[in-house]
Amino acid sequence: QVQLVESGGGSVQAGGSLRLSCAASGYTIRSYSMGWFRQAPGKEREGVAATTSDGSTTYAASVKGRFTISRDNAKNTLYLQMNSLKPEDSGMYYCAASVKVLSWWSRLLSAGYNYWGQGTQVTVSS
């Protein structure tokens, strides 16, 4: 049974940083594509960052240069380092895992992912 457990969310002021973690069990993170998504109240879930088995990464334009997705295969854990946070980055952040190696054009689309974590809340105040 696949489980994804996120942690690291919290409340920070604009300009601050947070690092989210996603610990996976029943799933080998190095094998396929994984991503981070977020959802703000009243808005649709959006892809933030993704990585795939060859180490390539994809970012949403709104976070490029500020967020970094990475993996620790030994710990079977996915990370999202978030710097220079803005109030518009606030929302529930979800870790997602696919059973495929997704093409670059689909990595930020939720339809490509099979497993989801429960989410961790990020709140950025101005």
Side-chain angles (χ1 to χ4, degrees):
Q1 184 177 357
V2 176
Q3 280 194 318
L4 304 173
V5 180
E6 301 99 332
S7 61
S11 297
V12 296
Q13 289 192 329
S17 298
L18 285 172
R19 189 176 82 153
L20 306 184
S21 299
C22 172
S25 58
Y27 178 91
T28 303
I29 68 167
R30 67 174 181 269
S31 298
Y32 306 110
S33 297
M34 293 194 74
W36 287 98
F37 289 74
R38 68 186 180 191
Q39 187 168 20
K43 294 189 176 181
E44 291 188 357
R45 187 175 297 187
E46 62 173 345
V48 173
T51 183
T52 195
S53 56
D54 64 2
S56 60
T57 56
T58 306
Y59 295 95
S62 59
V63 307
K64 200 167 188 178
R66 300 188 297 120
F67 290 12
T68 303
I69 188 170
S70 62
R71 296 177 300 179
D72 184 331
N73 292 333
K75 294 183 178 180
N76 216 36
T77 299
L78 183 74
Y79 300 100
L80 184 68
Q81 178 67 44
M82 306 186 295
N83 298 328
S84 302
L85 283 162
K86 304 176 181 180
E88 52 263 42
D89 293 320
S90 297
M92 188 70 77
Y93 280 70
Y94 299 91
C95 170
S98 176
V99 296
K100 299 179 181 178
V101 177
L102 298 173
S103 300
W104 66 268
W105 54 268
S106 65
R107 291 173 191 165
L108 297 183
L109 301 178
S110 58
Y113 293 86
N114 305 92
Y115 304 104
W116 295 82
Q118 83 289 349
T120 186
Q121 180 69 39
V122 172
T123 303
V124 184
S125 59
S126 57

